[in-house]
Coordinates of all heavy atoms in Angstrom, one line a residue:
Chain B
D55 N -33.1 3.5 -8.3 CA -32.7 3.9 -9.7 C -31.9 5.2 -9.6 O -31.9 5.9 -8.5 CB -34.0 4.3 -10.5 CG -34.9 3.1 -10.6 OD1 -34.4 2.0 -10.6 OD2 -36.1 3.3 -10.7
L56 N -31.2 5.5 -10.6 CA -30.4 6.7 -10.7 C -30.2 7.1 -12.1 O -29.9 6.3 -13.0 CB -29.1 6.7 -9.9 CG -28.3 8.0 -9.9 CD1 -27.6 8.2 -8.5 CD2 -27.2 8.0 -10.9
D57 N -30.4 8.4 -12.5 CA -30.0 8.9 -13.8 C -29.2 10.1 -13.7 O -29.5 11.0 -12.9 CB -31.3 9.3 -14.6 CG -32.2 8.1 -14.9 OD1 -31.8 7.3 -15.8 OD2 -33.2 7.9 -14.2
L58 N -28.0 10.1 -14.4 CA -27.2 11.3 -14.5 C -27.1 11.7 -15.9 O -26.8 10.9 -16.8 CB -25.8 11.0 -13.9 CG -24.8 12.1 -14.0 CD1 -25.2 13.3 -13.0 CD2 -23.4 11.7 -13.7
F59 N -27.4 13.0 -16.2 CA -27.4 13.4 -17.6 C -26.2 14.2 -17.9 O -25.5 14.8 -17.0 CB -28.7 14.2 -17.9 CG -29.9 13.4 -17.9 CD1 -30.7 13.2 -16.8 CD2 -30.3 12.7 -19.1 CE1 -31.8 12.4 -16.8 CE2 -31.4 11.8 -19.1 CZ -32.1 11.7 -17.9
G61 N -23.4 16.8 -18.4 CA -23.2 18.2 -18.0 C -23.9 18.7 -16.8 O -23.9 19.9 -16.5
E62 N -24.6 17.8 -16.1 CA -25.3 18.3 -14.9 C -24.7 18.0 -13.6 O -23.9 17.1 -13.5 CB -26.8 17.7 -14.9 CG -26.9 16.3 -14.5 CD -28.3 15.8 -14.3 OE1 -29.2 16.6 -14.3 OE2 -28.5 14.6 -14.2
V63 N -25.1 18.7 -12.6 CA -24.7 18.4 -11.3 C -25.9 17.8 -10.6 O -26.9 18.4 -10.4 CB -24.2 19.6 -10.4 CG1 -24.0 19.2 -9.0 CG2 -22.9 20.2 -11.0
L64 N -25.8 16.5 -10.2 CA -26.9 15.8 -9.6 C -26.6 15.7 -8.1 O -25.6 15.0 -7.8 CB -27.1 14.4 -10.2 CG -28.2 13.6 -9.6 CD1 -29.6 14.1 -9.9 CD2 -28.1 12.1 -10.0
A65 N -27.4 16.3 -7.3 CA -27.1 16.1 -5.8 C -27.9 14.9 -5.4 O -29.0 14.6 -5.8 CB -27.6 17.3 -5.1
V66 N -27.3 14.1 -4.5 CA -28.0 12.9 -3.9 C -28.2 13.2 -2.4 O -27.2 13.4 -1.7 CB -27.3 11.6 -4.1 CG1 -28.0 10.5 -3.4 CG2 -27.2 11.3 -5.6
I67 N -29.4 13.4 -2.0 CA -29.6 13.7 -0.5 C -30.5 12.6 0.1 O -31.1 11.8 -0.7 CB -30.3 15.0 -0.3 CG1 -31.7 15.1 -0.9 CG2 -29.4 16.1 -0.9 CD1 -32.5 16.3 -0.6
G68 N -30.4 12.5 1.4 CA -31.2 11.5 2.1 C -30.7 11.4 3.5 O -29.7 11.9 3.8
G73 N -29.0 5.0 2.0 CA -28.3 4.3 1.0 C -27.7 5.1 0.0 O -27.4 4.7 -1.2
K74 N -27.3 6.4 0.3 CA -26.7 7.3 -0.6 C -25.3 6.7 -1.0 O -25.0 6.6 -2.2 CB -26.5 8.7 0.0 CG -27.8 9.3 0.5 CD -27.5 10.7 1.0 CE -26.6 10.8 2.3 NZ -27.2 10.3 3.5
S75 N -24.5 6.5 0.0 CA -23.1 6.0 -0.3 C -23.2 4.7 -1.0 O -22.4 4.4 -1.9 CB -22.3 5.9 1.0 OG -21.9 7.2 1.4
L77 N -25.4 3.5 -2.9 CA -25.9 3.8 -4.3 C -24.7 4.2 -5.2 O -24.5 3.6 -6.2 CB -27.0 4.8 -4.3 CG -27.5 5.2 -5.7 CD1 -28.2 4.0 -6.3 CD2 -28.5 6.4 -5.5
I78 N -24.0 5.2 -4.7 CA -22.9 5.7 -5.6 C -21.8 4.7 -5.7 O -21.1 4.7 -6.7 CB -22.4 7.2 -5.2 CG1 -21.9 7.1 -3.8 CG2 -23.5 8.2 -5.4 CD1 -20.4 7.3 -3.8
V201 N -17.4 11.1 -15.7 CA -18.2 11.5 -14.5 C -17.3 11.6 -13.3 O -16.3 10.8 -13.1 CB -19.2 10.3 -14.2 CG1 -20.0 10.6 -12.9 CG2 -20.2 10.2 -15.4
I202 N -17.6 12.5 -12.4 CA -16.9 12.6 -11.1 C -18.0 12.5 -10.0 O -19.0 13.2 -10.1 CB -16.1 13.9 -11.0 CG1 -15.0 13.9 -12.0 CG2 -15.6 14.1 -9.6 CD1 -14.1 15.1 -12.0
I203 N -17.7 11.6 -9.1 CA -18.6 11.4 -8.0 C -17.9 11.9 -6.7 O -16.8 11.6 -6.5 CB -19.0 9.9 -7.8 CG1 -19.6 9.4 -9.1 CG2 -19.9 9.7 -6.6 CD1 -19.9 7.9 -9.1
L204 N -18.7 12.7 -6.0 CA -18.1 13.3 -4.7 C -19.0 12.9 -3.6 O -20.2 13.2 -3.5 CB -18.0 14.7 -4.8 CG -17.1 15.4 -5.9 CD1 -17.7 16.6 -6.5 CD2 -15.7 15.6 -5.5
D205 N -18.4 12.1 -2.6 CA -19.2 11.7 -1.5 C -18.9 12.6 -0.2 O -17.8 12.4 0.3 CB -18.9 10.2 -1.2 CG -19.9 9.6 -0.1 OD1 -20.7 10.4 0.4 OD2 -19.9 8.4 0.1
E206 N -19.8 13.4 0.1 CA -19.7 14.3 1.3 C -18.3 15.0 1.2 O -17.5 15.0 2.1 CB -19.7 13.5 2.6 CG -21.0 12.9 2.9 CD -22.1 13.8 3.4 OE1 -21.8 15.0 3.5 OE2 -23.2 13.4 3.7
P207 N -18.0 15.8 0.1 CA -16.7 16.3 0.0 C -16.4 17.5 0.9 O -15.2 17.9 1.1 CB -16.7 16.9 -1.5 CG -18.1 17.2 -1.8 CD -18.9 16.2 -1.0
L220 N -16.8 23.9 -3.5 CA -18.0 24.3 -4.2 C -17.6 24.9 -5.6 O -18.2 24.7 -6.6 CB -18.9 25.2 -3.4 CG -19.8 24.5 -2.4 CD1 -20.8 25.5 -1.9 CD2 -20.5 23.3 -3.0
I223 N -16.6 22.4 -8.0 CA -17.7 21.7 -8.6 C -18.3 22.6 -9.7 O -18.6 22.1 -10.8 CB -18.7 21.3 -7.6 CG1 -18.2 20.4 -6.5 CG2 -20.0 20.7 -8.2 CD1 -19.0 20.1 -5.4
R227 N -18.5 21.8 -13.7 CA -19.7 21.8 -14.5 C -19.5 22.8 -15.7 O -20.0 22.5 -16.9 CB -20.9 22.4 -13.7 CG -22.2 22.3 -14.5 CD -23.4 22.6 -13.7 NE -23.4 23.9 -13.1 CZ -24.4 24.5 -12.4 NH1 -25.4 23.8 -12.3 NH2 -24.3 25.7 -11.9
M231 N -18.4 18.7 -17.3 CA -18.2 17.4 -16.6 C -19.4 17.1 -15.7 O -19.8 17.9 -14.8 CB -17.0 17.5 -15.7 CG -16.7 16.2 -14.9 SD -16.2 14.8 -16.0 CE -14.5 15.4 -16.4
P232 N -20.1 16.0 -15.9 CA -21.2 15.6 -15.0 C -20.7 15.2 -13.7 O -19.7 14.6 -13.5 CB -21.9 14.4 -15.7 CG -21.1 14.2 -17.0 CD -19.9 15.0 -17.0
V233 N -21.4 15.7 -12.7 CA -21.0 15.4 -11.3 C -22.1 14.9 -10.5 O -23.3 15.3 -10.6 CB -20.5 16.7 -10.6 CG1 -20.2 16.6 -9.1 CG2 -19.3 17.3 -11.3
I234 N -21.8 13.8 -9.7 CA -22.8 13.4 -8.7 C -22.3 13.8 -7.3 O -21.1 13.6 -7.0 CB -23.0 11.9 -8.7 CG1 -23.5 11.4 -10.0 CG2 -23.9 11.4 -7.5 CD1 -23.7 9.9 -10.1
L235 N -23.1 14.6 -6.6 CA -22.7 15.1 -5.3 C -23.5 14.6 -4.2 O -24.7 14.9 -4.2 CB -22.7 16.6 -5.3 CG -22.5 17.4 -4.0 CD1 -21.1 17.3 -3.6 CD2 -23.0 18.9 -4.2
I236 N -22.9 13.9 -3.2 CA -23.7 13.5 -2.0 C -23.4 14.6 -1.0 O -22.2 14.9 -0.8 CB -23.2 12.2 -1.5 CG1 -23.6 11.1 -2.5 CG2 -23.9 11.9 -0.1 CD1 -23.3 9.7 -1.9
S237 N -24.4 15.1 -0.4 CA -24.2 16.1 0.7 C -25.4 16.2 1.6 O -26.5 15.9 1.3 CB -24.0 17.5 0.0 OG -23.8 18.4 1.0
H238 N -25.0 16.5 2.9 CA -26.0 16.8 3.9 C -26.3 18.2 4.0 O -27.3 18.6 4.7 CB -25.4 16.4 5.3 CG -25.8 14.9 5.6 ND1 -24.8 14.0 5.7 CD2 -26.9 14.4 5.9 CE1 -25.4 12.8 6.0 NE2 -26.6 13.0 6.2
N239 N -25.5 19.0 3.3 CA -25.6 20.5 3.5 C -26.6 21.1 2.5 O -26.3 21.3 1.3 CB -24.2 21.0 3.2 CG -24.1 22.5 3.6 OD1 -25.1 23.2 3.3 ND2 -23.0 22.9 4.1
M240 N -27.9 21.4 3.0 CA -29.0 21.8 2.1 C -28.7 23.1 1.4 O -28.9 23.2 0.2 CB -30.2 21.9 2.9 CG -30.9 20.6 3.2 SD -31.3 19.7 1.7 CE -31.2 18.1 2.4
P241 N -28.1 24.1 2.1 CA -27.8 25.4 1.3 C -26.9 25.1 0.1 O -27.1 25.6 -1.0 CB -27.2 26.2 2.4 CG -27.7 25.7 3.7 CD -27.9 24.3 3.5
Q242 N -25.9 24.3 0.4 CA -24.9 23.9 -0.7 C -25.6 23.2 -1.8 O -25.4 23.6 -3.0 CB -23.9 22.9 -0.1 CG -22.6 23.5 0.3 CD -21.6 22.5 0.8 OE1 -21.8 21.3 0.5 NE2 -20.7 22.9 1.6
V243 N -26.4 22.3 -1.5 CA -27.1 21.5 -2.5 C -28.0 22.4 -3.4 O -28.0 22.3 -4.6 CB -28.0 20.4 -1.9 CG1 -29.0 19.8 -2.9 CG2 -27.1 19.3 -1.3
F244 N -28.7 23.3 -2.7 CA -29.6 24.1 -3.5 C -28.9 25.2 -4.2 O -29.4 25.8 -5.2 CB -30.7 24.8 -2.5 CG -31.9 23.9 -2.3 CD1 -31.8 22.8 -1.5 CD2 -33.0 24.0 -3.1 CE1 -32.8 21.9 -1.3 CE2 -34.1 23.1 -2.9 CZ -34.0 22.1 -2.1
E245 N -27.6 25.5 -3.8 CA -26.9 26.5 -4.5 C -26.3 25.9 -5.8 O -26.3 26.5 -6.8 CB -25.7 27.0 -3.6 CG -24.8 28.0 -4.3 CD -23.6 28.3 -3.5 OE1 -23.6 28.0 -2.3 OE2 -22.6 28.7 -4.1
I246 N -25.9 24.6 -5.8 CA -25.1 24.1 -6.9 C -25.8 23.1 -7.7 O -25.4 22.9 -8.9 CB -23.8 23.6 -6.3 CG1 -22.7 23.5 -7.3 CG2 -24.0 22.2 -5.7 CD1 -21.3 23.5 -6.7
A247 N -26.8 22.4 -7.2 CA -27.3 21.3 -8.0 C -28.2 21.7 -9.1 O -29.0 22.7 -9.0 CB -28.0 20.3 -7.1
D248 N -28.2 21.0 -10.2 CA -29.2 21.2 -11.3 C -30.5 20.4 -10.9 O -31.6 20.9 -11.1 CB -28.6 20.7 -12.6 CG -27.5 21.5 -13.1 OD1 -27.7 22.7 -13.2 OD2 -26.4 20.9 -13.3
R249 N -30.2 19.2 -10.5 CA -31.4 18.3 -10.0 C -31.0 17.7 -8.7 O -29.8 17.5 -8.4 CB -31.7 17.3 -11.1 CG -32.1 17.8 -12.4 CD -32.6 16.7 -13.3 NE -31.7 15.7 -13.5 CZ -31.9 14.4 -13.3 NH1 -33.1 14.0 -13.1 NH2 -30.9 13.5 -13.5
I250 N -32.0 17.3 -8.0 CA -31.8 16.7 -6.6 C -32.5 15.4 -6.6 O -33.7 15.3 -6.7 CB -32.2 17.7 -5.5 CG1 -31.5 19.0 -5.6 CG2 -32.0 17.0 -4.1 CD1 -32.2 20.1 -4.8
H251 N -31.7 14.4 -6.4 CA -32.2 13.0 -6.2 C -32.4 12.8 -4.7 O -31.4 12.9 -4.0 CB -31.1 12.1 -6.8 CG -31.2 10.6 -6.5 ND1 -31.3 9.7 -7.5 CD2 -31.4 9.9 -5.3 CE1 -31.4 8.4 -6.9 NE2 -31.5 8.6 -5.7
V252 N -33.6 12.4 -4.4 CA -33.9 12.2 -2.9 C -33.9 10.7 -2.7 O -34.8 10.0 -3.3 CB -35.2 12.9 -2.5 CG1 -35.3 12.8 -0.9 CG2 -35.2 14.3 -2.9
Q253 N -33.1 10.2 -1.8 CA -33.0 8.8 -1.5 C -33.7 8.6 -0.1 O -33.4 9.4 0.8 CB -31.5 8.4 -1.5 CG -31.2 7.0 -1.3 CD -31.3 6.2 -2.6 OE1 -31.5 6.8 -3.6 NE2 -31.2 4.9 -2.5
R254 N -34.5 7.5 -0.1 CA -35.1 7.3 1.2 C -35.3 5.8 1.3 O -35.9 5.1 0.3 CB -36.5 8.0 1.3 CG -37.3 7.7 2.6 CD -38.5 8.6 2.7 NE -39.5 7.9 3.5 CZ -39.4 7.7 4.8 NH1 -38.4 8.1 5.5 NH2 -40.4 7.0 5.4
R257 N -34.2 3.6 -1.7 CA -34.7 3.8 -3.1 C -34.9 5.3 -3.4 O -34.9 6.1 -2.5 CB -35.9 3.0 -3.4 CG -37.1 3.3 -2.4 CD -38.2 2.3 -2.5 NE -38.5 2.2 -3.9 CZ -39.3 1.2 -4.4 NH1 -39.9 0.3 -3.6 NH2 -39.6 1.2 -5.7
R258 N -35.0 5.6 -4.7 CA -35.2 7.0 -5.1 C -36.7 7.3 -4.9 O -37.5 6.6 -5.5 CB -34.8 7.1 -6.6 CG -35.0 8.5 -7.1 CD -34.4 8.7 -8.5 NE -35.1 8.0 -9.5 CZ -34.8 8.0 -10.8 NH1 -33.7 8.6 -11.2 NH2 -35.5 7.3 -11.7
V259 N -37.0 8.3 -4.1 CA -38.4 8.6 -3.9 C -38.8 9.8 -4.7 O -40.0 10.0 -5.0 CB -38.7 8.8 -2.4 CG1 -38.7 7.5 -1.7 CG2 -37.8 9.9 -1.8
A260 N -37.9 10.6 -5.1 CA -38.2 11.8 -5.9 C -37.0 12.4 -6.5 O -35.9 12.2 -6.1 CB -38.9 12.9 -5.0
V261 N -37.2 13.1 -7.7 CA -36.2 13.9 -8.3 C -36.7 15.3 -8.4 O -37.8 15.5 -9.1 CB -35.7 13.4 -9.6 CG1 -34.5 14.3 -10.1 CG2 -35.2 12.0 -9.5
I262 N -36.1 16.3 -7.7 CA -36.7 17.6 -7.8 C -35.6 18.6 -8.3 O -34.5 18.2 -8.5 CB -37.2 18.1 -6.4 CG1 -36.0 18.0 -5.4 CG2 -38.4 17.2 -5.9 CD1 -36.4 18.4 -4.0
T263 N -35.9 19.9 -8.4 CA -34.9 20.8 -8.7 C -35.0 22.0 -7.7 O -36.0 22.1 -7.0 CB -35.1 21.4 -10.1 OG1 -36.3 22.3 -10.1 CG2 -35.3 20.4 -11.2
P264 N -33.9 22.8 -7.6 CA -33.9 23.9 -6.7 C -35.0 24.9 -7.0 O -35.5 25.7 -6.2 CB -32.6 24.6 -6.8 CG -31.7 23.5 -7.3 CD -32.6 22.6 -8.2
A272 N -37.5 19.5 0.6 CA -36.5 18.5 0.4 C -36.4 17.6 1.7 O -36.4 16.4 1.7 CB -35.2 19.0 0.1
M276 N -37.3 13.7 2.3 CA -36.3 12.8 2.8 C -36.8 12.0 4.0 O -36.5 10.8 4.1 CB -35.1 13.7 3.4 CG -34.0 13.8 2.4 SD -32.8 15.1 3.1 CE -32.3 14.5 4.6
T288 N -38.7 15.9 -11.7 CA -37.9 16.3 -12.9 C -36.9 15.1 -13.2 O -35.7 15.2 -12.9 CB -37.1 17.5 -12.6 OG1 -37.9 18.4 -11.9 CG2 -36.5 18.1 -13.8
V292 N -32.3 19.2 -17.1 CA -32.8 20.6 -17.1 C -31.8 21.5 -17.9 O -32.1 22.7 -18.1 CB -33.0 21.1 -15.7 CG1 -34.1 20.3 -15.1 CG2 -31.7 21.1 -14.9
R293 N -30.7 21.1 -18.2 CA -29.7 22.0 -18.8 C -29.6 21.7 -20.3 O -29.6 20.6 -20.7 CB -28.3 21.7 -18.2 CG -28.0 22.6 -17.0 CD -26.9 22.1 -16.2 NE -25.6 22.2 -16.9 CZ -24.8 23.2 -16.9 NH1 -25.0 24.2 -16.2 NH2 -23.6 23.1 -17.5

Side-chain angles (χ1 to χ4, degrees):
Chain B
D55 300 334
L56 182 139
D57 294 284
L58 176 71
F59 290 95
E62 74 170 352
V63 173
L64 177 74
V66 175
I67 62 172
K74 306 184 293 290
S75 286
L77 178 65
I78 60 106
V201 174
I202 292 178
I203 301 173
L204 301 143
D205 190 352
E206 298 279 6
L220 279 192
I223 298 171
R227 185 170 64 173
M231 178 70 71
V233 173
I234 299 178
L235 168 72
I236 294 188
S237 182
H238 267 110
N239 186 323
M240 284 301 152
Q242 261 180 23
V243 165
F244 275 77
E245 181 192 334
I246 202 157
D248 294 306
R249 295 188 307 132
I250 301 167
H251 166 129
V252 187
Q253 184 83 5
R254 179 172 150 70
R257 55 193 309 173
R258 178 172 73 181
V259 290
V261 182
I262 58 177
T263 68
M276 262 167 61
T288 317
V292 294
R293 270 163 65 93

